[in-house]
Amino acid sequence: QELAVEEFVLAGIALSAEKRLALAYSPTGALYSYAPGDRLANGLVEAVESTDVLLNTEEGPLRLALPDLPR
């Protein structure tokens, strides 16, 4: 199932076979992984960095940072 940009909740970043993957929760609580180039319902994962993800949306680029760790 493709998430919409509005539903993309960045949960973490993983390193797999020399590329970074963005881990995002869906509204139902399912965890999905996305690599650069993967499509969303209304956007594209442009880049996955060590601290954030760049999404290409219909309204322009959107950078989502990793959430702060709970204390």
Side-chain angles (χ1 to χ4, degrees), residues 5 44 46 53-64:
V5 169
L44 178 76
E46 192 71 34
V53 173
L54 179 62
L55 303 178
N56 188 355
T57 74
E58 296 167 347
E59 298 170 0
L62 173 65
R63 189 170 298 276
L64 301 174

Side-chain angles (χ1 to χ4, degrees), residues 3-70:
L3 292 180
V5 169
E6 302 80 25
E7 300 171 325
F8 192 98
V9 177
L10 184 61
I13 305 289
L15 185 61
S16 171
E18 302 293 325
K19 67 179 174 180
R20 289 189 181 107
L21 300 173
L23 304 175
Y25 283 111
S26 74
T28 63
L31 185 64
Y32 294 100
S33 65
Y34 294 90
D38 286 349
R39 296 217 43 85
L40 300 172
N42 59 345
L44 178 76
V45 178
E46 192 71 34
V48 180
E49 304 297 337
S50 60
T51 60
D52 57 56
V53 173
L54 179 62
L55 303 178
N56 188 355
T57 74
E58 296 167 347
E59 298 170 0
L62 173 65
R63 189 170 298 276
L64 301 174
L66 279 172
D68 291 332
L69 294 174

